[in-house]
Amino acid sequence: QSALTQPASVSGSPGQSITISCTGTSSDVGNYNLVSWYQQHPGKAPQLIIYEVTKRPSGVSNRFSGSKSGNTAALTISGLQAEDEADYYCCSYVGSEAFDYVFGAGTKVTVL
Amino acid sequence: QVQLVQSGAEVKKPGASVKVSCKASGYTFTGTYIHWMRQAPGQGLEWMGWINPNGGGTKYAQKFQDRVTMTTDTSIATAYMELSRLRSDDTAIYYCAKYSGFDYFFDRWGQGTLVTVPS
């Protein structure tokens, strides 16, 4: 399965905003509003931070927001904090015969 | 609280099989699916398939269709993922994850199990 395309790394200073893009195709990101985002700190399991493109689970900071336009989804982190330094993965439902979900390769966020 | 606790790290020879367990607690185990993903060193996540603990129905990614078997033991709220004919490129961290029950996302993940297949 072809992974969704994410930048390998994004960095920002504390307090700044950063945006991570996630580009797929008309068969995945562009076909469903079923993009989710996961945060993964080193050595830890992924944690859900955004689902259905824009929704935040309870307990997740409102500094995290999601959006989508066409075949590209995006995660924005505003008011960047040191604790936001982690890997971020996007995921889209696909629902094909070959596989149900496709993930991005991940973006390393560095807080300068 | 909802928890998924996976079995410990494994080292296997090429051609062998590995069986990873995922014990669930804090929710109704038969109420939603368990999915399995893997993450090779320095790589992104890869979806492998799901199992419905209520009845045992499965769907596997085509890539793993002939080598993976997912099962559950509802009496102990545990899911299993067995991968056979291991190769060195199967070296990865394997994760189980709880399906949210709606709208296609995973709301809790296990801590991961490192499976190493030396070349």
Side-chain angles (χ1 to χ4, degrees):
Chain A
Q1 64 220 53
S2 299
L4 304 175
T5 300
Q6 296 181 236
S9 63
V10 173
S11 61
S13 299
Q16 284 187 328
S17 293
I18 62 169
T19 296
I20 302 167
S21 61
C22 169
T23 301
T25 70
S26 57
S27 297
D28 40 62
V29 175
N31 198 34
Y32 302 97
N33 287 325
L34 297 173
V35 175
S36 51
W37 289 87
Y38 301 87
Q39 177 192 60
Q40 186 178 34
H41 287 105
K44 301 293 186 180
Q47 282 196 301
L48 175 72
I49 54 172
I50 294 287
Y51 66 98
E52 288 181 54
V53 178
T54 61
K55 298 180 180 179
R56 272 188 318 275
S58 60
V60 172
S61 171
N62 59 9
R63 297 184 299 102
F64 294 94
S65 61
S67 62
K68 192 187 90 167
S69 177
N71 296 338
T72 299
L75 173 72
T76 298
I77 309 174
S78 58
L80 200 61
Q81 299 180 1
E83 67 208 47
D84 301 330
E85 188 161 294
D87 292 325
Y88 292 82
Y89 295 90
C90 61
C91 175
S92 178
Y93 177 71
V94 179
S96 72
E97 278 201 32
F99 51 90
D100 274 2
Y101 294 85
V102 62
F103 286 87
T107 297
K108 169 69 178 174
V109 168
T110 302
V111 181
L112 302 171
Chain B
Q1 75 280 23
V2 175
Q3 271 195 306
L4 298 173
V5 179
Q6 297 184 223
S7 48
E10 304 258 17
V11 179
K12 294 291 184 180
K13 293 183 178 180
S17 297
V18 68
K19 192 170 185 177
V20 178
S21 68
C22 169
K23 181 167 179 59
S25 61
Y27 72 100
T28 302
F29 181 63
T30 53
T32 190
Y33 294 11
I34 292 287
H35 290 245
W36 289 89
M37 274 68 75
R38 75 177 188 179
Q39 186 173 33
Q43 305 294 313
L45 292 157
E46 182 175 30
W47 181 80
M48 299 180 69
W50 55 253
I51 182 164
N52 179 2
N54 185 9
T58 57
K59 179 176 180 178
Y60 305 140
Q62 201 169 69
K63 174 178 178 178
F64 303 105
Q65 185 77 38
D66 60 344
R67 294 198 298 137
V68 72
T69 304
M70 296 177 188
T71 56
T72 60
D73 183 340
T74 57
S75 69
I76 55 172
T78 299
Y80 302 91
M81 187 284 300
E82 184 170 22
L83 190 62
S84 63
R85 303 195 302 278
L86 290 168
R87 308 183 293 251
S88 57
D89 62 358
D90 291 317
T91 294
I93 299 173
Y94 289 78
Y95 292 100
C96 62
K98 172 182 166 290
Y99 178 58
S100 65
F102 65 97
D103 286 347
Y104 305 95
F105 60 92
F106 314 109
D107 59 6
R108 194 58 57 99
W109 296 60
Q111 84 276 18
T113 297
L114 176 62
V115 175
T116 303
V117 186
S119 53

